[in-house]
Amino acid sequence: MLRLISLLLPALIPSWRFFKTVAPSPRVEYRLLHRGEAGDWQEDRPRPAHLSFFTMLRRMLWNPAWNEQLFMVSCAERLVEADSPHSSAHSEDEINRRIARLLPMADDTELQFRLVFWYRDGAQLVKEVEFESTPVPVNSLRVRSHDY
Amino acid sequence: MTIELALRLSEILLAFALFQQSLEQLAVRYAWADPLVFAVRLALCLPLIAGLEVTLVLAALWGIGLWQLWRYQGPYNGGSDKMTLLILTCLLLAHAAPTQFWSEMALSYLAVQLVLSYFVSGWIKVINPEWQKGEALRDVFRFSAYPVSEGLRALADRPLFLLAMGWAVILLELAFPLTLLDPLALKIALACTAAFHFSNACFFGLNRFFWIWICAYPSLIWFQDRIVGSI
């Protein structure tokens, strides 16, 4: 109950501090491990090179994939902030499931993701790995999704 | 504007925003409970638009909002989810209030929060040297997770343009409370802030912010007329 109140209060008494600072920004990268052999890291849902104005207008009404991606950004930030073990486990699980949702079922294959944070140091852009997950069988994530 | 009209307009706009959010959530299905809850929320938008059993419908939608907070361990869509819950709470309290006075207090709270959402946002930027120099907005385009395409990152190479845009937003947000002094100025300011949300939706994909923020606009037009206009 206390947890629920702590989640509700910021909605009822918001701080409205949007973009107070531009903090290091996360990207989710993942790789597949087949029978222990690791593949290359790849960015989850890389953004397109360009978007037409028409597509931007369409996304005013229909933007589920991007909004899911923004939720994964929130999960990445919560995971690194590590407010509580429950919150961290929830965020890790959410990211795992949402990556796995778009992968085909694959036997003997595990999924591992990492959180890469981009920030500016002086005039230079820096990329730093802040978190690596424990590999999880892809099929278990797909099956578990029905047990939620 | 009467309080009844302000409430009705907010309810219709809110029903549309929730309908849009729910359809998007239904498209991202991967857990059995999620589609069920969002289908219920989708269905509840219909009586809300029609004005049927509004108090009960708002209470049910508020309960679903609370469930979402628990399900996602916080907002799914950041500030837009917070604003959704705030609007639901204020509209529900306005309907359930025992007297007209408390109804007006509930709607006034929403109006004040809307003003604060702009003013506080402007204030924390104007006191930050990174925002003053235009560097913060450059960073948003340079490396943040928000630009919807890689091509948009090229805007980071136009510092003067971003400096001007950043200050335009800061000044709009800081001046927003002053527009309460005149009904026409308020409506012009609301058109500007709606355009600001629209540009955020185009550049950063924050479409839900646009739809949910305008739901609160009727409350502020009523507030200006009822409270500030009568002083």
Side-chain angles (χ1 to χ4, degrees):
Chain A
M1 184 52 95
L2 274 179
R3 173 76 183 146
L4 197 55
I5 292 169
S6 74
L7 293 171
L8 179 61
L9 275 182
L12 302 185
I13 312 165
S15 74
W16 303 127
R17 294 174 164 221
F18 294 123
F19 287 111
K20 184 184 177 192
T21 55
V22 184
S25 185
R27 307 283 186 280
V28 178
E29 294 183 349
Y30 72 92
R31 66 179 177 183
L32 297 173
L33 298 93
H34 188 65
R35 293 186 177 136
E37 198 171 315
D40 292 332
W41 289 106
Q42 51 190 305
E43 188 174 346
D44 182 56
R45 299 162 223 220
R47 68 206 65 220
H50 291 284
L51 271 191
S52 68
F53 185 63
F54 175 77
T55 307
M56 288 179 184
L57 280 185
R58 183 174 54 76
R59 287 186 173 193
M60 286 296 297
L61 287 169
W62 189 245
N63 206 10
W66 182 258
N67 281 318
E68 184 183 32
Q69 209 166 331
L70 289 181
F71 176 58
M72 290 171 76
V73 169
S74 298
C75 288
E77 287 165 348
R78 291 177 202 164
L79 190 49
V80 170
E81 284 163 13
D83 278 346
S84 69
H86 178 258
S87 170
S88 298
H90 176 272
S91 297
E92 187 171 349
D93 198 40
E94 283 285 339
I95 294 172
N96 262 327
R97 287 161 186 258
R98 286 170 195 277
I99 299 171
R101 190 174 73 79
L102 302 181
L103 298 175
M105 293 289 271
D107 292 327
D108 302 324
T109 304
E110 292 180 307
L111 169 69
Q112 183 180 28
F113 74 86
R114 68 180 184 183
L115 301 178
V116 173
F117 279 73
W118 284 91
Y119 62 95
R120 181 170 54 82
D121 185 12
Q124 201 155 16
L125 281 186
V126 181
K127 174 184 176 180
E128 221 165 70
V129 177
E130 296 253 345
F131 177 85
E132 273 192 19
S133 71
T134 308
V136 185
V138 174
N139 288 358
S140 74
L141 289 165
R142 299 290 300 257
V143 173
R144 280 176 60 211
S145 67
H146 300 291
D147 304 334
Y148 202 88
Chain B
M1 184 183 284
T2 63
I3 188 168
E4 289 79 11
L5 181 60
L7 285 170
R8 197 78 274 276
L9 286 175
S10 285
E11 287 153 16
I12 292 168
L13 290 168
L14 178 65
F16 174 79
L18 290 176
F19 196 84
Q20 190 273 336
Q21 289 178 17
S22 304
L23 278 179
E24 285 194 349
Q25 292 294 132
L26 282 168
V28 185
R29 57 166 66 192
Y30 81 119
W32 70 266
D34 293 14
L36 190 70
V37 176
F38 289 114
V40 170
R41 190 168 74 155
L42 197 69
L44 286 169
C45 293
L46 301 176
L48 186 60
I49 285 181
L52 300 171
E53 299 293 344
V54 172
T55 311
L56 270 178
V57 169
L58 286 170
L61 289 168
W62 191 86
I64 290 174
L66 208 59
W67 171 86
Q68 271 182 275
L69 276 183
W70 180 253
R71 162 70 183 83
Y72 300 114
Q73 288 295 298
Y76 179 86
N77 203 242
S80 93
D81 277 9
K82 288 183 188 173
M83 188 53 130
T84 304
L85 208 49
L86 178 66
I87 293 173
L88 276 170
T89 306
C90 293
L91 295 186
L92 176 59
L93 290 176
H95 276 281
T99 64
Q100 177 83 357
F101 172 80
W102 288 108
S103 286
E104 291 190 351
M105 282 297 111
L107 204 59
S108 298
Y109 183 72
L110 178 57
V112 169
Q113 285 298 338
L114 181 62
V115 173
L116 288 175
S117 75
Y118 294 121
F119 181 75
V120 174
S121 200
W123 179 253
I124 57 118
K125 288 188 188 83
V126 81
I127 59 172
N128 182 336
E130 292 284 298
W131 274 101
Q132 292 166 11
K133 290 183 288 181
E135 278 300 312
L137 193 52
R138 285 186 77 190
D139 283 347
V140 170
F141 282 98
R142 204 159 15 201
F143 66 80
S144 85
Y146 291 105
V148 292
S149 71
E150 289 299 333
L152 281 176
R153 296 205 184 278
L155 282 174
D157 300 327
R158 298 176 63 186
L160 282 178
F161 172 71
L162 292 185
L163 181 71
M165 289 298 104
W167 271 104
V169 170
I170 290 170
L171 292 177
L172 172 65
E173 290 178 330
L174 287 176
F176 191 82
L178 295 176
T179 66
L180 282 172
L181 297 172
D182 181 77
L184 181 61
L186 175 63
K187 287 175 184 101
I188 293 170
L190 288 175
C192 292
T193 50
F196 165 65
H197 290 299
F198 179 77
S199 68
N200 284 341
C202 289
F203 289 144
F204 306 132
L206 303 174
N207 61 324
R208 294 189 188 182
F209 283 71
F210 175 82
W211 298 115
I212 201 64
W213 245 261
I214 60 174
C215 295
Y217 286 8
S219 73
L220 191 56
I221 295 172
W222 164 81
F223 181 81
Q224 197 282 332
D225 193 28
R226 172 72 178 84
I227 310 292
V228 184
S230 63
I231 294 173

